[in-house]
Amino acid sequence: MPRLAAFPKAFMQALCKDGTMTVSEWISLAAKLDIDGLEWYAGFLEMEDQKNWPRFKKEVEDHGKVIPMMCCSPDFTHPDAKFREKEIIKQKSWIDMTHALGGSYCRVLSGQRRPKLSVEEGVKLAADCIYECLPYAQERGITLILENHYKDDFWEYPEFAQKMDVFCKLVDSIDHPNFGVNYDPSNTYLAGEDPLELLYKVSNRVVTMHASDRYLKEGTIEDLRREEGGAAGYAKRLSHGEIGKGLNDYDAIFTELKRVGFDSWISIEDGVDGMEQLERSVAFLRKKISQYW
Protein backbone atom coordinates (compact mmCIF):
# COMPACT_ATOMS: atom_id res chain seq x y z
CA MET A 1 0.00 0.00 0.00
CA PRO A 2 1.37 3.48 -0.85
CA ARG A 3 2.68 5.56 2.05
CA LEU A 4 2.01 9.25 2.65
CA ALA A 5 4.54 12.01 3.20
CA ALA A 6 4.12 15.77 3.48
CA PHE A 7 6.12 18.68 2.08
CA PRO A 8 6.13 22.11 3.82
CA LYS A 9 4.63 23.96 0.86
CA ALA A 10 3.23 26.75 3.05
CA PHE A 11 6.48 27.32 4.95
CA MET A 12 9.16 27.44 2.26
CA GLN A 13 9.87 31.15 2.73
CA ALA A 14 10.16 30.66 6.47
CA LEU A 15 12.38 27.57 6.25
CA CYS A 16 14.54 28.58 3.28
CA LYS A 17 14.69 32.37 3.17
CA ASP A 18 14.01 34.33 6.34
CA GLY A 19 14.52 31.62 8.96
CA THR A 20 11.32 32.47 10.82
CA MET A 21 10.56 28.76 11.21
CA THR A 22 13.06 26.14 12.31
CA VAL A 23 13.18 22.67 10.80
CA SER A 24 12.42 21.24 14.24
CA GLU A 25 9.25 23.34 14.39
CA TRP A 26 8.15 21.93 11.03
CA ILE A 27 8.91 18.38 12.19
CA SER A 28 6.75 18.92 15.28
CA LEU A 29 3.88 20.33 13.21
CA ALA A 30 4.03 17.52 10.67
CA ALA A 31 4.26 14.86 13.39
CA LYS A 32 0.63 15.54 14.28
CA LEU A 33 -0.53 14.53 10.79
CA ASP A 34 -1.65 11.02 9.86
CA ILE A 35 1.36 10.53 7.57
CA ASP A 36 4.29 8.13 7.38
CA GLY A 37 7.08 10.49 6.39
CA LEU A 38 8.34 13.98 5.59
CA GLU A 39 9.62 14.92 2.15
CA TRP A 40 12.78 16.95 2.64
CA TYR A 41 14.08 20.00 0.80
CA ALA A 42 17.79 20.49 0.16
CA GLY A 43 17.45 24.27 0.54
CA PHE A 44 16.33 24.39 4.17
CA LEU A 45 18.66 26.98 5.74
CA GLU A 46 19.71 24.64 8.54
CA MET A 47 20.77 21.93 6.07
CA GLU A 48 23.85 23.99 5.20
CA ASP A 49 25.44 22.60 8.38
CA GLN A 50 26.04 18.87 7.89
CA LYS A 51 26.07 18.35 11.65
CA ASN A 52 22.30 18.95 11.57
CA TRP A 53 21.62 16.05 9.20
CA PRO A 54 21.76 13.19 11.74
CA ARG A 55 19.93 15.33 14.30
CA PHE A 56 16.98 15.95 11.98
CA LYS A 57 16.88 12.28 10.98
CA LYS A 58 16.63 11.30 14.64
CA GLU A 59 13.98 13.96 15.38
CA VAL A 60 11.77 12.66 12.56
CA GLU A 61 12.29 9.03 13.57
CA ASP A 62 11.57 9.85 17.23
CA HIS A 63 8.09 10.84 16.01
CA GLY A 64 7.72 7.44 14.32
CA LYS A 65 8.22 8.80 10.81
CA VAL A 66 10.93 8.69 8.14
CA ILE A 67 12.41 10.95 5.44
CA PRO A 68 11.83 9.05 2.16
CA MET A 69 12.35 11.75 -0.48
CA MET A 70 14.60 14.72 -1.21
CA CYS A 71 13.46 17.67 -3.30
CA CYS A 72 16.22 19.55 -5.13
CA SER A 73 16.67 21.35 -8.45
CA PRO A 74 19.74 20.68 -10.60
CA ASP A 75 20.08 22.71 -13.80
CA PHE A 76 21.55 20.38 -16.41
CA THR A 77 20.73 22.30 -19.62
CA HIS A 78 23.23 25.14 -19.29
CA PRO A 79 25.41 25.47 -22.43
CA ASP A 80 28.64 25.74 -20.40
CA ALA A 81 30.17 22.33 -19.59
CA LYS A 82 31.88 23.71 -16.46
CA PHE A 83 28.53 24.95 -15.16
CA ARG A 84 26.97 21.54 -15.77
CA GLU A 85 29.86 19.84 -13.98
CA LYS A 86 29.19 22.00 -10.92
CA GLU A 87 25.52 21.00 -11.06
CA ILE A 88 26.53 17.32 -11.16
CA ILE A 89 28.70 17.88 -8.07
CA LYS A 90 25.74 19.56 -6.33
CA GLN A 91 23.44 16.70 -7.29
CA LYS A 92 25.88 14.21 -5.81
CA SER A 93 25.96 16.23 -2.58
CA TRP A 94 22.15 16.07 -2.47
CA ILE A 95 22.36 12.31 -2.99
CA ASP A 96 24.72 12.18 0.03
CA MET A 97 22.21 14.30 1.97
CA THR A 98 19.37 11.94 1.06
CA HIS A 99 21.46 8.96 2.10
CA ALA A 100 22.41 10.55 5.44
CA LEU A 101 18.75 11.23 6.20
CA GLY A 102 17.79 7.63 5.44
CA GLY A 103 15.94 8.47 2.22
CA SER A 104 15.55 6.37 -0.91
CA TYR A 105 14.52 8.94 -3.55
CA CYS A 106 16.27 12.11 -4.70
CA ARG A 107 14.76 14.42 -7.30
CA VAL A 108 16.47 15.46 -10.49
CA LEU A 109 15.21 17.96 -13.06
CA SER A 110 16.20 18.65 -16.63
CA GLY A 111 17.17 22.30 -16.28
CA GLN A 112 15.99 25.62 -17.62
CA ARG A 113 14.33 26.06 -21.00
CA ARG A 114 16.82 28.57 -22.28
CA PRO A 115 16.25 30.42 -25.55
CA LYS A 116 17.85 28.81 -28.62
CA LEU A 117 18.16 25.42 -26.88
CA SER A 118 16.76 22.76 -29.18
CA VAL A 119 14.76 19.83 -27.84
CA GLU A 120 17.37 17.34 -29.07
CA GLU A 121 20.27 19.21 -27.50
CA GLY A 122 18.46 19.78 -24.22
CA VAL A 123 17.42 16.14 -23.89
CA LYS A 124 21.02 15.03 -24.53
CA LEU A 125 22.51 17.50 -22.03
CA ALA A 126 20.04 16.54 -19.30
CA ALA A 127 20.29 12.79 -19.95
CA ASP A 128 24.10 12.88 -20.00
CA CYS A 129 24.21 14.70 -16.64
CA ILE A 130 21.66 12.36 -15.05
CA TYR A 131 23.67 9.37 -16.29
CA GLU A 132 26.75 10.91 -14.66
CA CYS A 133 24.93 10.86 -11.31
CA LEU A 134 23.28 7.44 -11.53
CA PRO A 135 26.24 5.20 -10.52
CA TYR A 136 26.83 7.46 -7.49
CA ALA A 137 23.16 7.16 -6.54
CA GLN A 138 23.14 3.40 -7.09
CA GLU A 139 26.12 2.89 -4.78
CA ARG A 140 24.13 4.60 -2.02
CA GLY A 141 20.84 2.85 -2.69
CA ILE A 142 19.18 6.02 -3.98
CA THR A 143 16.75 6.24 -6.91
CA LEU A 144 16.83 9.48 -8.92
CA ILE A 145 13.34 10.72 -9.69
CA LEU A 146 12.61 13.06 -12.60
CA GLU A 147 9.60 15.30 -11.97
CA ASN A 148 7.35 16.83 -14.60
CA HIS A 149 8.12 20.19 -13.07
CA TYR A 150 7.05 23.77 -13.79
CA LYS A 151 9.86 26.03 -12.58
CA ASP A 152 12.19 26.25 -9.62
CA ASP A 153 11.63 29.37 -7.52
CA PHE A 154 15.13 30.64 -8.28
CA TRP A 155 15.22 29.99 -12.04
CA GLU A 156 14.87 32.59 -14.76
CA TYR A 157 13.22 30.22 -17.26
CA PRO A 158 10.67 27.41 -16.84
CA GLU A 159 11.60 23.74 -16.81
CA PHE A 160 13.11 22.53 -20.10
CA ALA A 161 11.08 19.30 -19.94
CA GLN A 162 7.87 20.97 -18.79
CA LYS A 163 5.93 19.91 -21.88
CA MET A 164 4.76 16.33 -22.08
CA ASP A 165 6.47 15.41 -25.34
CA VAL A 166 9.87 16.68 -24.14
CA PHE A 167 9.46 15.07 -20.72
CA CYS A 168 8.64 11.70 -22.30
CA LYS A 169 11.63 11.96 -24.64
CA LEU A 170 13.92 12.54 -21.68
CA VAL A 171 12.37 9.69 -19.66
CA ASP A 172 12.64 7.35 -22.65
CA SER A 173 16.31 8.25 -23.10
CA ILE A 174 17.27 7.01 -19.62
CA ASP A 175 17.24 3.29 -18.89
CA HIS A 176 18.62 2.51 -15.43
CA PRO A 177 17.28 0.59 -12.41
CA ASN A 178 17.90 3.60 -10.15
CA PHE A 179 15.89 6.04 -12.26
CA GLY A 180 12.17 6.73 -12.33
CA VAL A 181 9.46 9.39 -12.54
CA ASN A 182 8.03 11.58 -9.77
CA TYR A 183 4.57 12.25 -11.17
CA ASP A 184 2.90 15.56 -10.30
CA PRO A 185 -0.57 15.84 -11.87
CA SER A 186 -1.00 19.52 -10.99
CA ASN A 187 2.14 20.59 -12.83
CA THR A 188 0.68 19.22 -16.06
CA TYR A 189 -2.04 21.88 -15.90
CA LEU A 190 0.66 24.56 -15.73
CA ALA A 191 1.84 23.27 -19.11
CA GLY A 192 -1.73 23.50 -20.45
CA GLU A 193 -1.87 19.72 -20.78
CA ASP A 194 -3.88 16.76 -19.46
CA PRO A 195 -2.39 15.04 -16.37
CA LEU A 196 -4.05 11.74 -17.19
CA GLU A 197 -2.61 11.72 -20.71
CA LEU A 198 0.85 12.15 -19.23
CA LEU A 199 0.24 9.48 -16.60
CA TYR A 200 -0.84 6.92 -19.19
CA LYS A 201 2.39 7.58 -21.10
CA VAL A 202 4.75 7.17 -18.11
CA SER A 203 2.82 5.16 -15.50
CA ASN A 204 5.13 2.17 -15.74
CA ARG A 205 8.08 4.46 -14.85
CA VAL A 206 6.40 6.24 -11.90
CA VAL A 207 8.15 5.46 -8.59
CA THR A 208 6.92 8.40 -6.47
CA MET A 209 4.17 11.00 -6.70
CA HIS A 210 3.44 14.54 -5.59
CA ALA A 211 -0.18 14.95 -4.56
CA SER A 212 -1.68 18.39 -4.82
CA ASP A 213 -4.67 19.98 -6.46
CA ARG A 214 -5.37 23.08 -8.47
CA TYR A 215 -8.54 24.97 -9.14
CA LEU A 216 -9.40 27.59 -11.71
CA LYS A 217 -9.80 31.05 -10.23
CA GLU A 218 -11.66 32.11 -13.37
CA GLY A 219 -12.66 30.77 -16.77
CA THR A 220 -12.56 27.19 -18.01
CA ILE A 221 -9.98 24.55 -18.93
CA GLU A 222 -10.48 25.54 -22.55
CA ASP A 223 -9.64 29.16 -21.66
CA LEU A 224 -6.55 27.89 -19.87
CA ARG A 225 -5.33 26.05 -22.95
CA ARG A 226 -6.05 28.96 -25.30
CA GLU A 227 -4.49 31.56 -23.06
CA GLU A 228 -1.53 33.46 -24.43
CA GLY A 229 1.65 33.93 -22.45
CA GLY A 230 2.75 30.38 -21.73
CA ALA A 231 3.17 28.97 -18.26
CA ALA A 232 3.16 32.37 -16.55
CA GLY A 233 -0.33 32.93 -17.93
CA TYR A 234 -1.55 29.53 -16.80
CA ALA A 235 -0.28 30.15 -13.31
CA LYS A 236 -2.41 33.29 -13.02
CA ARG A 237 -5.59 31.32 -13.67
CA LEU A 238 -4.67 28.42 -11.39
CA SER A 239 -4.36 28.31 -7.63
CA HIS A 240 -3.33 25.61 -5.16
CA GLY A 241 -6.25 24.13 -3.26
CA GLU A 242 -7.38 21.36 -0.98
CA ILE A 243 -6.75 17.92 -2.45
CA GLY A 244 -9.92 16.33 -3.79
CA LYS A 245 -11.63 19.66 -4.47
CA GLY A 246 -9.71 20.76 -7.54
CA LEU A 247 -9.17 19.68 -11.13
CA ASN A 248 -7.33 16.40 -10.55
CA ASP A 249 -9.26 13.15 -10.97
CA TYR A 250 -7.77 11.07 -8.17
CA ASP A 251 -10.03 8.11 -8.94
CA ALA A 252 -8.57 7.88 -12.45
CA ILE A 253 -5.02 8.57 -11.21
CA PHE A 254 -5.13 5.88 -8.52
CA THR A 255 -6.85 3.40 -10.83
CA GLU A 256 -3.91 3.67 -13.23
CA LEU A 257 -1.24 3.60 -10.53
CA LYS A 258 -2.83 0.53 -8.96
CA ARG A 259 -2.99 -1.12 -12.41
CA VAL A 260 0.77 -0.80 -12.90
CA GLY A 261 1.57 -2.01 -9.38
CA PHE A 262 2.59 1.32 -7.83
CA ASP A 263 3.35 0.80 -4.13
CA SER A 264 5.58 3.66 -3.05
CA TRP A 265 5.51 7.19 -1.62
CA ILE A 266 2.93 9.89 -2.28
CA SER A 267 4.06 13.25 -0.95
CA ILE A 268 1.47 15.95 -0.28
CA GLU A 269 2.22 19.45 -1.57
CA ASP A 270 -0.58 21.33 0.09
CA GLY A 271 -1.47 23.33 3.17
CA VAL A 272 -0.94 26.77 1.69
CA ASP A 273 -4.10 27.82 3.56
CA GLY A 274 -3.03 26.29 6.86
CA MET A 275 -2.52 23.03 8.68
CA GLU A 276 -6.26 22.28 8.87
CA GLN A 277 -6.36 22.23 5.08
CA LEU A 278 -3.39 19.88 5.07
CA GLU A 279 -5.17 17.60 7.55
CA ARG A 280 -8.22 17.43 5.26
CA SER A 281 -5.99 16.61 2.28
CA VAL A 282 -4.32 13.82 4.26
CA ALA A 283 -7.74 12.40 5.20
CA PHE A 284 -8.90 12.52 1.56
CA LEU A 285 -5.81 10.67 0.34
CA ARG A 286 -5.98 8.10 3.15
CA LYS A 287 -9.55 7.31 2.13
CA LYS A 288 -8.65 7.04 -1.56
CA ILE A 289 -5.61 4.85 -0.90
CA SER A 290 -7.68 2.43 1.18
CA GLN A 291 -10.28 2.41 -1.60
CA TYR A 292 -7.82 1.45 -4.35
CA TRP A 293 -5.19 -0.64 -2.56
Short mmCIF file of all heavy atoms in Angstrom, two decimals, residues 127-168:
data_model
loop_
_atom_site.label_atom_id
_atom_site.label_comp_id
_atom_site.label_asym_id
_atom_site.label_seq_id
_atom_site.Cartn_x
_atom_site.Cartn_y
_atom_site.Cartn_z
N ALA A 127 20.10 14.24 -20.10
CA ALA A 127 20.29 12.79 -19.95
C ALA A 127 21.74 12.47 -19.59
O ALA A 127 22.02 11.62 -18.73
CB ALA A 127 19.87 12.07 -21.22
N ASP A 128 22.68 13.13 -20.26
CA ASP A 128 24.10 12.88 -20.00
C ASP A 128 24.44 13.20 -18.54
O ASP A 128 25.17 12.45 -17.87
CB ASP A 128 24.99 13.71 -20.93
CG ASP A 128 25.01 13.17 -22.36
OD1 ASP A 128 24.47 12.06 -22.58
OD2 ASP A 128 25.54 13.87 -23.24
N CYS A 129 23.92 14.31 -18.03
CA CYS A 129 24.21 14.70 -16.64
C CYS A 129 23.57 13.73 -15.65
O CYS A 129 24.18 13.37 -14.64
CB CYS A 129 23.71 16.12 -16.39
SG CYS A 129 24.66 17.41 -17.22
N ILE A 130 22.34 13.32 -15.93
CA ILE A 130 21.66 12.36 -15.05
C ILE A 130 22.42 11.04 -15.04
O ILE A 130 22.63 10.43 -13.98
CB ILE A 130 20.19 12.19 -15.46
CG1 ILE A 130 19.41 13.49 -15.18
CG2 ILE A 130 19.55 11.01 -14.71
CD1 ILE A 130 18.01 13.53 -15.77
N TYR A 131 22.87 10.61 -16.22
CA TYR A 131 23.67 9.37 -16.29
C TYR A 131 24.97 9.49 -15.50
O TYR A 131 25.45 8.50 -14.92
CB TYR A 131 23.97 9.01 -17.75
CG TYR A 131 22.98 8.04 -18.35
CD1 TYR A 131 22.23 8.39 -19.47
CD2 TYR A 131 22.79 6.76 -17.82
CE1 TYR A 131 21.31 7.50 -20.03
CE2 TYR A 131 21.89 5.87 -18.37
CZ TYR A 131 21.15 6.25 -19.48
OH TYR A 131 20.25 5.36 -20.02
N GLU A 132 25.53 10.70 -15.45
CA GLU A 132 26.75 10.91 -14.66
C GLU A 132 26.49 10.69 -13.17
O GLU A 132 27.39 10.29 -12.42
CB GLU A 132 27.27 12.34 -14.87
CG GLU A 132 28.00 12.56 -16.17
CD GLU A 132 29.39 11.94 -16.15
OE1 GLU A 132 30.11 12.12 -15.14
OE2 GLU A 132 29.75 11.28 -17.14
N CYS A 133 25.27 10.96 -12.73
CA CYS A 133 24.93 10.86 -11.31
C CYS A 133 24.43 9.48 -10.91
O CYS A 133 24.44 9.14 -9.71
CB CYS A 133 23.85 11.89 -10.97
SG CYS A 133 24.33 13.61 -11.24
N LEU A 134 23.96 8.69 -11.86
CA LEU A 134 23.28 7.44 -11.53
C LEU A 134 24.17 6.40 -10.83
O LEU A 134 23.72 5.79 -9.84
CB LEU A 134 22.63 6.85 -12.77
CG LEU A 134 21.26 7.47 -13.10
CD1 LEU A 134 20.82 7.12 -14.52
CD2 LEU A 134 20.21 7.02 -12.10
N PRO A 135 25.41 6.17 -11.26
CA PRO A 135 26.24 5.20 -10.52
C PRO A 135 26.47 5.62 -9.06
O PRO A 135 26.46 4.79 -8.15
CB PRO A 135 27.56 5.18 -11.30
CG PRO A 135 27.19 5.65 -12.67
CD PRO A 135 26.10 6.64 -12.48
N TYR A 136 26.64 6.92 -8.85
CA TYR A 136 26.83 7.46 -7.49
C TYR A 136 25.58 7.20 -6.65
O TYR A 136 25.69 6.80 -5.47
CB TYR A 136 27.11 8.96 -7.59
CG TYR A 136 27.67 9.60 -6.35
CD1 TYR A 136 29.03 9.57 -6.07
CD2 TYR A 136 26.82 10.24 -5.44
CE1 TYR A 136 29.54 10.16 -4.92
CE2 TYR A 136 27.34 10.84 -4.28
CZ TYR A 136 28.69 10.79 -4.05
OH TYR A 136 29.20 11.38 -2.90
N ALA A 137 24.41 7.42 -7.25
CA ALA A 137 23.16 7.16 -6.54
C ALA A 137 22.99 5.67 -6.25
O ALA A 137 22.59 5.27 -5.14
CB ALA A 137 21.98 7.68 -7.36
N GLN A 138 23.31 4.85 -7.24
CA GLN A 138 23.14 3.40 -7.09
C GLN A 138 24.00 2.85 -5.95
O GLN A 138 23.55 2.01 -5.17
CB GLN A 138 23.47 2.70 -8.40
CG GLN A 138 23.15 1.21 -8.40
CD GLN A 138 23.33 0.59 -9.79
OE1 GLN A 138 24.14 1.05 -10.59
NE2 GLN A 138 22.54 -0.43 -10.08
N GLU A 139 25.22 3.35 -5.84
CA GLU A 139 26.12 2.89 -4.78
C GLU A 139 25.55 3.18 -3.39
O GLU A 139 25.87 2.48 -2.42
CB GLU A 139 27.48 3.60 -4.91
CG GLU A 139 28.33 3.11 -6.07
CD GLU A 139 29.53 4.03 -6.30
OE1 GLU A 139 29.76 4.94 -5.47
OE2 GLU A 139 30.23 3.84 -7.31
N ARG A 140 24.70 4.19 -3.30
CA ARG A 140 24.13 4.60 -2.02
C ARG A 140 22.67 4.16 -1.86
O ARG A 140 22.00 4.56 -0.90
CB ARG A 140 24.27 6.13 -1.87
CG ARG A 140 25.70 6.54 -1.62
CD ARG A 140 26.02 7.93 -2.15
NE ARG A 140 27.45 8.21 -1.99
CZ ARG A 140 28.40 7.75 -2.81
NH1 ARG A 140 28.08 7.00 -3.86
NH2 ARG A 140 29.68 8.03 -2.58
N GLY A 141 22.21 3.36 -2.79
CA GLY A 141 20.84 2.85 -2.69
C GLY A 141 19.77 3.90 -2.92
O GLY A 141 18.65 3.79 -2.40
N ILE A 142 20.09 4.91 -3.72
CA ILE A 142 19.18 6.02 -3.98
C ILE A 142 18.66 5.93 -5.41
O ILE A 142 19.42 5.68 -6.35
CB ILE A 142 19.87 7.39 -3.78
CG1 ILE A 142 20.51 7.49 -2.39
CG2 ILE A 142 18.89 8.54 -4.04
CD1 ILE A 142 19.55 7.48 -1.24
N THR A 143 17.36 6.15 -5.58
CA THR A 143 16.75 6.24 -6.91
C THR A 143 16.55 7.71 -7.26
O THR A 143 16.00 8.48 -6.46
CB THR A 143 15.39 5.52 -6.94
OG1 THR A 143 15.60 4.12 -6.69
CG2 THR A 143 14.71 5.67 -8.29
N LEU A 144 17.03 8.11 -8.45
CA LEU A 144 16.83 9.48 -8.92
C LEU A 144 15.47 9.58 -9.59
O LEU A 144 15.11 8.75 -10.43
CB LEU A 144 17.94 9.88 -9.90
CG LEU A 144 19.36 9.84 -9.34
CD1 LEU A 144 20.36 10.35 -10.39
CD2 LEU A 144 19.48 10.66 -8.06
N ILE A 145 14.71 10.58 -9.19
CA ILE A 145 13.34 10.72 -9.69
C ILE A 145 13.21 12.03 -10.47
O ILE A 145 13.48 13.11 -9.97
CB ILE A 145 12.32 10.66 -8.53
CG1 ILE A 145 12.72 11.57 -7.35
CG2 ILE A 145 12.17 9.21 -8.05
CD1 ILE A 145 11.69 11.63 -6.22
N LEU A 146 12.81 11.90 -11.72
CA LEU A 146 12.61 13.06 -12.60
C LEU A 146 11.16 13.52 -12.51
O LEU A 146 10.25 12.75 -12.77
CB LEU A 146 12.95 12.69 -14.04
CG LEU A 146 12.78 13.82 -15.07
CD1 LEU A 146 13.86 14.89 -14.89
CD2 LEU A 146 12.84 13.26 -16.50
N GLU A 147 10.96 14.77 -12.11
CA GLU A 147 9.60 15.30 -11.97
C GLU A 147 9.20 16.10 -13.20
O GLU A 147 10.00 16.84 -13.77
CB GLU A 147 9.53 16.21 -10.72
CG GLU A 147 8.15 16.77 -10.48
CD GLU A 147 8.07 17.63 -9.22
OE1 GLU A 147 9.00 17.54 -8.38
OE2 GLU A 147 7.10 18.38 -9.08
N ASN A 148 7.93 15.95 -13.58
CA ASN A 148 7.35 16.83 -14.60
C ASN A 148 7.07 18.17 -13.92
O ASN A 148 5.99 18.44 -13.43
CB ASN A 148 6.08 16.24 -15.21
CG ASN A 148 5.01 15.93 -14.16
OD1 ASN A 148 5.25 15.18 -13.22
ND2 ASN A 148 3.83 16.49 -14.32
N HIS A 149 8.09 18.99 -13.91
CA HIS A 149 8.12 20.19 -13.07
C HIS A 149 7.70 21.41 -13.87
O HIS A 149 7.68 21.40 -15.10
CB HIS A 149 9.54 20.37 -12.52
CG HIS A 149 9.62 21.21 -11.29
ND1 HIS A 149 10.42 22.33 -11.20
CD2 HIS A 149 9.02 21.08 -10.08
CE1 HIS A 149 10.29 22.85 -9.99
NE2 HIS A 149 9.45 22.12 -9.30
N TYR A 150 7.39 22.51 -13.13
CA TYR A 150 7.05 23.77 -13.79
C TYR A 150 8.27 24.70 -13.81
O TYR A 150 8.82 25.02 -14.85
CB TYR A 150 5.87 24.44 -13.08
CG TYR A 150 5.72 25.91 -13.36
CD1 TYR A 150 5.75 26.40 -14.67
CD2 TYR A 150 5.55 26.82 -12.33
CE1 TYR A 150 5.63 27.76 -14.94
CE2 TYR A 150 5.41 28.18 -12.58
CZ TYR A 150 5.45 28.64 -13.87
OH TYR A 150 5.34 29.98 -14.12
N LYS A 151 8.75 25.07 -12.62
CA LYS A 151 9.86 26.03 -12.58
C LYS A 151 10.34 26.17 -11.14
O LYS A 151 9.55 26.38 -10.24
CB LYS A 151 9.39 27.41 -13.08
CG LYS A 151 10.46 28.48 -13.13
CD LYS A 151 9.88 29.75 -13.76
CE LYS A 151 10.90 30.86 -13.85
NZ LYS A 151 11.14 31.51 -12.55
N ASP A 152 11.63 26.01 -10.95
CA ASP A 152 12.19 26.25 -9.62
C ASP A 152 12.05 27.73 -9.27
O ASP A 152 12.13 28.61 -10.13
CB ASP A 152 13.68 25.85 -9.61
CG ASP A 152 14.30 26.00 -8.24
OD1 ASP A 152 14.08 25.11 -7.40
OD2 ASP A 152 14.97 27.03 -8.00
N ASP A 153 11.85 28.00 -7.98
CA ASP A 153 11.63 29.37 -7.52
C ASP A 153 12.76 30.32 -7.91
O ASP A 153 12.55 31.52 -8.04
CB ASP A 153 11.49 29.40 -5.99
CG ASP A 153 10.18 28.78 -5.53
OD1 ASP A 153 9.29 28.60 -6.36
OD2 ASP A 153 10.07 28.48 -4.33
N PHE A 154 13.97 29.77 -8.07
CA PHE A 154 15.13 30.64 -8.28
C PHE A 154 15.63 30.62 -9.72
O PHE A 154 16.72 31.08 -10.01
CB PHE A 154 16.25 30.22 -7.31
CG PHE A 154 15.77 30.14 -5.89
CD1 PHE A 154 15.63 28.92 -5.26
CD2 PHE A 154 15.42 31.28 -5.19
CE1 PHE A 154 15.17 28.83 -3.95
CE2 PHE A 154 14.95 31.21 -3.89
CZ PHE A 154 14.82 29.99 -3.27
N TRP A 155 14.84 30.06 -10.63
CA TRP A 155 15.22 29.99 -12.04
C TRP A 155 14.64 31.15 -12.84
O TRP A 155 13.55 31.63 -12.54
CB TRP A 155 14.75 28.68 -12.66
CG TRP A 155 15.57 27.48 -12.26
CD1 TRP A 155 16.61 27.44 -11.38
CD2 TRP A 155 15.40 26.14 -12.74
NE1 TRP A 155 17.10 26.15 -11.29
CE2 TRP A 155 16.38 25.35 -12.10
CE3 TRP A 155 14.52 25.54 -13.64
CZ2 TRP A 155 16.49 23.98 -12.35
CZ3 TRP A 155 14.63 24.19 -13.89
CH2 TRP A 155 15.61 23.41 -13.25
N GLU A 156 15.37 31.53 -13.87
CA GLU A 156 14.87 32.59 -14.76
C GLU A 156 13.85 32.04 -15.74
O GLU A 156 12.85 32.68 -16.05
CB GLU A 156 16.06 33.19 -15.53
CG GLU A 156 15.66 34.33 -16.46
CD GLU A 156 16.85 34.93 -17.19
OE1 GLU A 156 17.99 34.50 -16.94
OE2 GLU A 156 16.62 35.83 -18.02
N TYR A 157 14.09 30.82 -16.24
CA TYR A 157 13.22 30.22 -17.26
C TYR A 157 12.50 28.99 -16.69
O TYR A 157 12.99 28.36 -15.75
CB TYR A 157 14.04 29.80 -18.48
CG TYR A 157 14.81 30.92 -19.12
CD1 TYR A 157 16.20 31.01 -18.95
CD2 TYR A 157 14.18 31.90 -19.87
CE1 TYR A 157 16.92 32.04 -19.53
CE2 TYR A 157 14.88 32.94 -20.45
CZ TYR A 157 16.26 33.01 -20.27
OH TYR A 157 16.97 34.03 -20.84
N PRO A 158 11.36 28.63 -17.28
CA PRO A 158 10.67 27.41 -16.84
C PRO A 158 11.48 26.16 -17.14
O PRO A 158 12.52 26.20 -17.81
CB PRO A 158 9.38 27.43 -17.67
CG PRO A 158 9.21 28.83 -18.14
CD PRO A 158 10.60 29.37 -18.30
N GLU A 159 10.99 25.05 -16.63
CA GLU A 159 11.60 23.74 -16.81
C GLU A 159 11.72 23.38 -18.30
O GLU A 159 10.75 23.49 -19.05
CB GLU A 159 10.74 22.69 -16.10
CG GLU A 159 11.20 21.27 -16.22
CD GLU A 159 12.40 20.98 -15.34
OE1 GLU A 159 12.65 21.74 -14.39
OE2 GLU A 159 13.07 19.97 -15.61
N PHE A 160 12.90 22.94 -18.70
CA PHE A 160 13.11 22.53 -20.10
C PHE A 160 12.13 21.43 -20.50
O PHE A 160 11.54 21.47 -21.58
CB PHE A 160 14.55 22.06 -20.30
CG PHE A 160 14.76 21.32 -21.59
CD1 PHE A 160 14.80 22.00 -22.80
CD2 PHE A 160 14.86 19.93 -21.60
CE1 PHE A 160 14.97 21.31 -24.00
CE2 PHE A 160 15.03 19.24 -22.79
CZ PHE A 160 15.08 19.93 -23.99
N ALA A 161 11.94 20.44 -19.62
CA ALA A 161 11.08 19.30 -19.94
C ALA A 161 9.68 19.48 -19.37
O ALA A 161 9.02 18.51 -19.00
CB ALA A 161 11.71 18.01 -19.43
N GLN A 162 9.21 20.72 -19.32
CA GLN A 162 7.87 20.97 -18.79
C GLN A 162 6.79 20.34 -19.67
O GLN A 162 5.83 19.75 -19.15
CB GLN A 162 7.61 22.48 -18.68
CG GLN A 162 6.23 22.81 -18.09
CD GLN A 162 5.88 24.28 -18.22
OE1 GLN A 162 6.54 25.02 -18.95
NE2 GLN A 162 4.86 24.71 -17.51
N LYS A 163 6.93 20.44 -20.97
CA LYS A 163 5.93 19.91 -21.88
C LYS A 163 6.02 18.39 -21.97
O LYS A 163 7.10 17.80 -21.93
CB LYS A 163 6.11 20.53 -23.27
CG LYS A 163 5.79 22.02 -23.34
CD LYS A 163 4.30 22.26 -23.27
CE LYS A 163 3.95 23.72 -23.55
NZ LYS A 163 2.50 23.94 -23.55
N MET A 164 4.88 17.78 -22.12
CA MET A 164 4.76 16.33 -22.08
C MET A 164 5.66 15.63 -23.09
O MET A 164 6.33 14.64 -22.76
CB MET A 164 3.30 15.95 -22.35
CG MET A 164 2.96 14.49 -22.17
SD MET A 164 1.24 14.14 -22.63
CE MET A 164 0.32 15.41 -21.76
N ASP A 165 5.69 16.12 -24.32
CA ASP A 165 6.47 15.41 -25.34
C ASP A 165 7.97 15.44 -25.02
O ASP A 165 8.68 14.44 -25.21
CB ASP A 165 6.20 15.97 -26.75
CG ASP A 165 6.54 17.45 -26.89
OD1 ASP A 165 6.63 18.15 -25.86
OD2 ASP A 165 6.72 17.92 -28.03
N VAL A 166 8.45 16.56 -24.50
CA VAL A 166 9.87 16.68 -24.14
C VAL A 166 10.17 15.82 -22.91
O VAL A 166 11.18 15.11 -22.86
CB VAL A 166 10.25 18.15 -23.88
CG1 VAL A 166 11.74 18.26 -23.56
CG2 VAL A 166 9.88 19.02 -25.08
N PHE A 167 9.28 15.88 -21.93
CA PHE A 167 9.46 15.07 -20.72
C PHE A 167 9.55 13.58 -21.07
O PHE A 167 10.44 12.87 -20.60
CB PHE A 167 8.30 15.32 -19.76
CG PHE A 167 8.41 14.60 -18.44
CD1 PHE A 167 9.24 15.07 -17.44
CD2 PHE A 167 7.68 13.44 -18.21
CE1 PHE A 167 9.35 14.39 -16.22
CE2 PHE A 167 7.78 12.76 -17.00
CZ PHE A 167 8.61 13.24 -16.00
N CYS A 168 8.65 13.13 -21.93
CA CYS A 168 8.64 11.70 -22.30
C CYS A 168 9.90 11.33 -23.08
O CYS A 168 10.43 10.22 -22.91
CB CYS A 168 7.38 11.38 -23.11
SG CYS A 168 5.86 11.43 -22.11
#
